[in-house]
Amino acid sequence: MIQVCLNGARGAGDGAAVPLSPAALAESAAAAVAAGAAEVHVHPKTPCGSDSLSPRVVGPAVEAIRAAVDVPVGVTTGAWAEPDPMRRVERIRSWAVLPDYASVNWHEDGADGVAAALLDRGVGIEAGIWSGTDAARRFLESPYGPRVLRVLAEVIDPLPGEAGPTARALLAELGGAHGRPVLLHGQDACTWPVLRLARSLGLDTRIGLEDVLVLPDGERAASNAQLVRAALAWG
């Protein structure tokens, strides 16, 4: 399974290809799914381009994407969108339109509370486990670990030549991962090496302008759909 991550924390300064508005997100999602993506992950944005967990921001983004594609749609709950853990929980409880799943970064304070709030709302959880953090340990000790939809093993910021060893070390830290499926992906320069490793290991993975702005040959990507097509051909 390849998930498309449409925009992440990127903004207008990262280029016109990065979709920000609900309409642009829907258009990009539709093209990416047509290219072969099986799920959509999105960071809903305020009109000024900031990530937000507000129901007035999350709802329109999710509704627009769902009107364009018939695949699961997930959102972020990253602390950068709402730094206060209690406020993060309040935002989730106020959502009028529910995504199919949401990512929870287990190295962030309040991860268990956010996970509990999502489960109470019937929203699936992607457990974000970043390399270079204590997220794997915290996740494995969490009572909510066995209840997540999947684990996102996220290789963050190593040098490209270190991506493979870092990814393998992260997978080793996760061990059995509470028996949950693992989606392995990288970021920026390590995106393509980690995607190739994920495919060789038979793991789910993801691609999109959140993770990388260029194709395997270094050419600037024109769209999320182009990245998905390249990912399916990369192996």
Side-chain angles (χ1 to χ4, degrees), residues 4-33:
V4 63
C5 47
L6 295 177
N7 56 359
R10 301 192 194 273
D14 293 298
V18 179
L20 303 176
S21 69
L25 291 168
E27 181 180 3
S28 186
V33 169

Side-chain angles (χ1 to χ4, degrees), residues 39 72 100-102 124-127 145-151 180-181:
E39 293 188 358
D100 296 288
Y101 59 89
I125 298 168
E126 290 186 316
R147 301 177 65 186
V148 304
L149 174 68
R150 70 170 65 91
V151 174
R180 308 314 301 150

